[in-house]
Amino acid sequence: MHLNDAVRDDINRSVLCWLATVDADGFPTVSPKEMFCAYGSDRLIIADIASRGSIRNLNTYNKVCVSFVDVFRQKGFKVKGVAKVIPLGDPGFQEIAYPLLEKAGPDYPIRNIICVQVEKVQRIWAPSYNLFPDKGEEQLMREAYTLYGVRPLTEDDGS
């Protein structure tokens, strides 16, 4: 399964992703991850900065689900796949980790890379898209800004 431009765009718009793993007792666990990006045409990479539980779970069961949503557009994707943990000492670590190391900078120590081979991709969106089909994405975004008490940056903000 390939990551198309829509998926890549939503990855770039998302602040966090949520990694779902399964623990040794068979219970699902969801954990937010701050450093992640697309890698190649069919993989996601996620930095292990403080992910001891996720890494432990992946050593038991390597199937995962990763979700990411642009909170203002209220759209994103759910990605299912098989994860491989690439430790810091692995010969390929620096090459694979490069985009995350650039993003993290020196303040975030990356211990491992969680590399997800994508098998399924599914669009997810807020229920408001179905409940209020007459409202367009721009109107729903304005409502989200109001709900969260924020406003988009403008040229006047120095962006």
Side-chain angles (χ1 to χ4, degrees):
M1 172 65 60
H2 293 287
L3 301 173
N4 64 27
D5 289 341
V7 176
R8 290 173 179 281
D9 186 48
D10 278 6
I11 289 170
N12 292 334
R13 290 173 177 249
S14 300
V15 177
L16 295 172
C17 73
W18 291 268
L19 174 66
T21 60
V22 177
D23 70 17
D25 294 325
F27 287 99
T29 303
V30 178
S31 177
K33 306 299 179 200
E34 189 173 2
M35 301 292 167
F36 63 101
C37 65
Y39 186 78
S41 65
D42 59 353
R43 289 177 280 175
L44 291 175
I45 54 174
I46 303 167
D48 164 19
I49 296 168
S51 305
R52 293 190 201 291
S54 296
I55 298 300
R56 183 176 51 249
N57 292 348
L58 291 171
N59 288 328
T60 302
Y61 193 72
N62 64 353
K63 289 189 178 181
V64 299
C65 181
V66 181
S67 296
F68 43 90
V69 174
D70 173 342
V71 295
F72 299 113
R73 282 180 52 238
Q74 301 178 56
K75 288 184 177 179
F77 286 91
K78 173 171 58 174
V79 174
K80 292 181 180 181
V82 176
K84 176 182 177 185
V85 176
I86 302 169
L88 180 62
D90 187 279
F93 180 88
Q94 291 298 324
E95 180 181 338
I96 293 171
Y98 180 78
L100 296 176
L101 292 167
E102 286 287 302
K103 189 183 256 192
D107 295 333
Y108 292 88
I110 298 176
R111 299 182 300 207
N112 299 287
I113 296 296
I114 300 166
C115 184
V116 179
Q117 180 68 48
V118 176
E119 293 185 356
K120 281 185 171 181
V121 176
Q122 180 182 353
R123 170 62 87 179
I124 53 177
W125 56 82
S128 54
Y129 281 93
N130 292 329
L131 292 171
F132 311 106
D134 55 318
K135 294 182 181 182
E137 183 175 279
E138 290 298 320
Q139 183 177 353
L140 291 172
M141 287 176 68
R142 283 192 305 275
E143 290 174 6
Y145 294 136
T146 301
L147 177 67
Y148 294 121
V150 298
R151 62 181 176 83
L153 291 175
T154 64
E155 292 297 322
D156 295 338
D157 296 322
S159 58

